[in-house]
Amino acid sequence: MAPLLTGKRFRPERYHYYPLLDSSNQQAALLAQQGADEGTVVVAEQQSQGRGRLGRPWSSPAGINLYCSLLLRPAIAARHAAQLTLVAGLALWHTAQEWGVQGCELKWPNDLLLQGRKAAGILTEMRAEGEKTQYVIVGIGVNLNGGRTDLPPELQAQAIHLAEALPAPIERSRFLAALLQQWETWYDRYQTSGFAPLATLWQQAARLPGRRVQIRLAEGSFAGEAVTLDADGCLLVKRGDGMLTRVVAGDVTLLGEG
Amino acid sequence: MDLKEIRQLIKMLAGTDVAEIEIREEAQTVRISRHLAGQHDTSTAAFQPVMTYAAPPAMAMPTAMPVAVEAVAAAAASKSSEPLSTERTLTITSPMVGTYYQANAPEAPPLVAHGDIIKKGQVVCIIEAMKLMNAIESEYAGRVVSILKENASPVEYGEPLFILEPV
């Protein structure tokens, strides 16, 4: 996969392609620890240990999908870095739009859904010493050209490939170049204006307010209506009793139209 | 008063010259006393929370609480045996709001254990917010004398996570 890279961060000399990796995030972390620059991109054709949140496996067969990790070194305090995961979702959603995939939506914090099924997931990992952000790695897995039979049986009802909504397959290197271009745009906007102006756009892409959701936290579950994002990007959910709960970390399941 | 509130209280007191505070709530009394510089010794960070109950508390207390309080008290006690020391304990705090994880993955062993000697820059835990996993590096070298959070529990910005003593 050889994308045409023209951005100011994601440059050809910072692009690393591997036929097989344990996980692209792991390789990107290794490069980061060796001093790699912001804008370093790691792409794996195939991952043997692709993973999502809480070590969950991410199905990563060769030839049909995109598994990439972006290395960022933002000059932001660690407490704001989680906003980058929402910026990541916006960049991904806009890339799908640009490609003409109709009906995509974001699910907090940054899953890309198509027809209610997961087409892409993002796992962000960072290192911080105290307040100081050392680096941020945004790992993005996008299901592009497969069909239902390319998915493990347990995912067939939950996952989907973006090209299933298109008449032709997606050229992977062009999709990656478009995604990185969107990244440049949204990351620049975030760094210039902060998260607040992006929150409105994010909410539109997630069709908030009014989505019925089930929230699973480390300490328990509850259902409610996803109302909005707060200034930090946390999800505010209104429970049945009218109480607003701020979700910082957890699993969100959409419960259908509210 | 729960463990979190006690911790917040300890943190709050750290910026003041208050040497002792006692709070009574129904059947529960919490007293936090500390030695301030120039008063009893040279230490500025020896906290000694003491909890007493006039009657059994109405609600079960979090299981981590007695352990954590005991550990803090133990740290303070070990300091008092070094009256001439100018060293102080070091606190690693959370740089963000999120969920605390003791390991890189649910089935992985904890990144640090009580009594471990850790290096500056060593990853001591993971804090998650919005599917961002933040590997927290220790700003100090030292021995872990107290692990203040339970795995998969919520943490606030600035909340103490670990107490180290210099080695």
Side-chain angles (χ1 to χ4, degrees), chain B residues 100-115:
Chain B
Y100 165 88
Y101 297 106
Q102 64 185 12
N104 283 318
E107 71 287 358
L111 288 157
V112 297
H114 195 271

Side-chain angles (χ1 to χ4, degrees), chain A residues 145-166:
Chain A
N145 292 321
R148 195 164 271 229
T149 53
D150 293 302
L151 297 166
E154 67 275 13
L155 295 181
Q156 289 183 0
Q158 302 161 31
I160 194 167
H161 298 81
L162 287 180
E164 291 182 48
L166 295 174

Side-chain angles (χ1 to χ4, degrees), chain A residues 48-244:
Chain A
S48 58
Q49 289 169 46
R51 59 204 153 86
R53 183 171 177 261
L54 305 181
R56 292 169 193 154
W58 183 266
S59 170
S60 311
I64 51 175
N65 297 329
L66 176 63
Y67 320 110
C68 66
S69 296
L70 319 184
L71 170 60
L72 308 172
R73 296 187 182 275
I76 55 174
R79 64 181 184 279
H80 299 307
Q83 293 175 341
L84 284 170
T85 70
L86 300 167
V87 177
L90 263 185
L92 189 55
W93 186 84
H94 279 90
T95 309
Q97 291 297 109
E98 185 186 327
W99 222 263
V101 182
Q102 299 296 314
C104 279
E105 62 179 323
L106 287 173
K107 178 170 78 77
W108 189 90
N110 53 23
D111 284 348
L112 184 71
L113 304 186
L114 172 62
Q115 299 163 15
R117 290 188 281 158
K118 188 156 160 174
I122 297 172
L123 178 69
T124 310
E125 297 179 280
M126 70 179 279
R127 285 280 283 257
E129 185 188 294
E131 293 276 332
K132 189 176 178 305
T133 300
Q134 310 273 20
Y135 61 80
V136 177
I137 289 166
V138 183
I140 306 172
V142 192
N143 298 336
L144 291 177
N145 292 321
R148 195 164 271 229
T149 53
D150 293 302
L151 297 166
E154 67 275 13
L155 295 181
Q156 289 183 0
Q158 302 161 31
I160 194 167
H161 298 81
L162 287 180
E164 291 182 48
L166 295 174
I170 293 171
E171 193 185 318
R172 292 185 301 156
S173 59
R174 281 184 56 220
F175 187 90
L176 173 60
L179 175 62
L180 296 176
Q181 196 55 55
Q182 288 286 353
W183 249 99
E184 298 271 5
T185 303
W186 294 101
Y187 189 48
D188 277 344
R189 284 201 200 178
Y190 172 69
Q191 294 202 316
T192 310
S193 319
F195 179 66
L198 305 187
T200 312
L201 297 168
W202 192 96
Q203 285 170 180
Q204 286 166 1
R207 297 200 284 135
L208 295 187
R211 301 305 301 269
R212 294 276 310 154
V213 290
Q214 177 79 26
I215 306 291
R216 199 162 79 235
L217 308 174
E219 60 267 32
S221 299
F222 65 93
E225 180 199 327
V227 180
T228 187
L229 299 180
D230 72 4
D232 294 325
C234 295
L235 184 67
L236 298 182
V237 179
K238 189 161 83 179
R239 301 192 193 217
D241 58 8
M243 284 273 289
L244 269 188

Side-chain angles (χ1 to χ4, degrees), chain A residues 127-132 134, chain B residues 90-92 112 116-125 135-144 164-167:
Chain A
R127 285 280 283 257
E129 185 188 294
E131 293 276 332
K132 189 176 178 305
Q134 310 273 20
Chain B
L90 306 162
T91 305
I92 302 174
V112 297
D116 279 2
I117 293 174
I118 59 173
K119 293 179 289 195
K120 181 178 178 341
Q122 184 174 336
V123 174
V124 291
C125 67
I136 307 298
E137 295 180 5
S138 177
E139 295 169 89
Y140 320 104
R143 185 194 314 274
V144 178
L164 310 182
E165 62 179 16
V167 287

